[in-house]
């Protein structure tokens, strides 16, 4: 039986001295890697290459794994074996490393596709393809922009197996429905390489807000799309079967998920069945205004909430089109989360046009 060996790799980035940044244990697993593992395993189960091709899938995050490029090239030279490498979830600071890995693979004749926010953001937001992306194309590296659900990965796998990869697969204008989509369940060996033992998954994509600095809306759109409570239960049970009880919901703003209450109710029910959960979520600063949201979050197992504070200077918030953030609400918001016994932490941005050393010092005093 012919064999198709698929390597899904999340590249690391270079440190300030030009070395690949790696750890014995990293902090948080990649949800992009989890999504692609689920999507590709689903494609294998559907036998998209036919029943007579065996698909082997290897998943690695370079942040805590050594990627043996020479071994992958040697594998591609074996009889009855074809190899494909997908460089997954590549952000801008990881793109140079991704291209360097891909350059060595392409020199060995291995087909490579790079996907993630750098490629998707550049093709979505820029009028011309930037030089670093042009360099990748010139090396024979293919690019994938957008999301891979709804069978979009099938074409890539078929083309890679046939040796006919296209330069660009652009699906930015075709946003998939997430209800019933393949579940982002990461293999236990990858979760075990993270110090926190958190399993990541996304329950929704897209955001209705227009924050100027955010890539989410340019890549995933402003229309929110969601998984269902049934999807969430299946995710939790699949991870629970691996011994995983800590979860990081990677939604940029879970408070805008239209299914939040049914999801929390399902999680509360699972906890009532003895499935103890601990969740980390990300929400906006208006989450405390949603009736029952914070109270049910606490009951569902949320122990930490990351808040997009961004800045407290009204002029900076206005410039960033972050008008929904109201500093006068912050005290009530934090107290509401703490009353539910949820630890809060926040993202804060320095360097808006209105920021000066004096205004930053003033803002720090106000925050304290």
């Amino acid at each position: 039986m012919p064999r198709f060996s698929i390597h899904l790799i999340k590249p690391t980035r270079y440190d300030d001295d030009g070395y690949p940044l790696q750890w014995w244990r990293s902090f948080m697993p990649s949800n992009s890697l989890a999504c692609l593992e689920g999507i590709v395993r689903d494609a294998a189960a559907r036998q998209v290459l036919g029943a007579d091709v065996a698909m082997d899938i290897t998943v690695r995050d370079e942040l805590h794994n050594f990627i043996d490029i020479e071994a992958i090239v040697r594998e591609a030279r074996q009889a009855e074996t074809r190899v494909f490498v997908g460089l997954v979830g590549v952000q801008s600071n990881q793109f140079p490393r991704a291209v360097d890995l891909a350059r060595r693979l392409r020199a060995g004749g291995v087909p490579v596709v790079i996907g993630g926010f750098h490629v998707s953001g550049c093709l979505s937001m820029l009028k011309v393809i930037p030089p670093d992306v042009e360099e990748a194309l010139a090396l024979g590296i293919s690019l994938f922009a957008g999301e891979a659900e709804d069978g979009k990965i099938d074409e890539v796998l078929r083309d890679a197996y046939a040796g006919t990869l296209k330069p660009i697969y652009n699906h930015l204008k075709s946003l998939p429905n997430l209800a019933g989509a393949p579940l982002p369940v990461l293999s236990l060996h990858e979760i075990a390489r993270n110090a926190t033992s958190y399993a990541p998954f996304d329950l929704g994509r897209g955001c209705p807000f227009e924050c100027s600095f955010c890539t989410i809306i340019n890549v995933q759109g402003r229309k929110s799309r969601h998984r269902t409570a049934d999807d969430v239960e299946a995710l939790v049970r699949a991870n629970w079967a691996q011994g995983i009880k800590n979860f990081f919901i990677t939604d940029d703003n879970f408070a805008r998920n239209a299914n939040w209450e049914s999801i929390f109710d399902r999680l509360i029910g699972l906890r009532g069945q003895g499935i103890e959960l601990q969740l980390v979520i990300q929400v906006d600063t208006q989450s405390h205004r949603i009736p029952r949201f914070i109270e049910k979050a606490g009951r569902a197992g949320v122990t930490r909430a990351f808040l997009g504070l961004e800045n407290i200077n009204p002029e900076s918030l206005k410039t960033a089109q972050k008008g929904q953030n109201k500093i006068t609400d912050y005290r009530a918001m934090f107290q509401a989360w703490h009353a539910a016994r949820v630890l809060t932490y926040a993202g804060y941005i320095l360097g808006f046009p209105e920021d000066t050393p004096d205004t930053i010092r003033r803002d720090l005093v106000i925050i304290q």
Side-chain angles (χ1 to χ4, degrees), residues 21 50 60 71 73 77 90 112 128 131 174 183 187 213 219 231 303 311 316-317 319 323-325 331 338 356 361 368:
L21 183 65
R60 291 288 183 270
V73 172
R77 293 171 180 163
V90 179
V112 182
V128 296
S174 177
L183 301 176
S187 302
F213 53 83
V219 174
D231 295 332
T303 58
N311 203 282
S316 294
L317 293 172
T319 298
Q324 68 271 21
N325 279 21
R331 181 182 294 275
H338 296 162
T356 68
R361 279 190 285 266
Q368 291 169 343

Side-chain angles (χ1 to χ4, degrees), residues 82-110:
R82 299 181 188 181
V83 174
F84 163 67
V85 174
L87 298 175
V88 174
V90 179
Q91 300 176 8
S92 293
N93 65 354
Q94 298 160 342
F95 192 74
R97 176 61 178 174
V99 172
D100 285 348
L101 292 174
R103 180 185 288 108
R104 294 164 60 195
L105 290 163
R106 292 299 298 132
V110 178

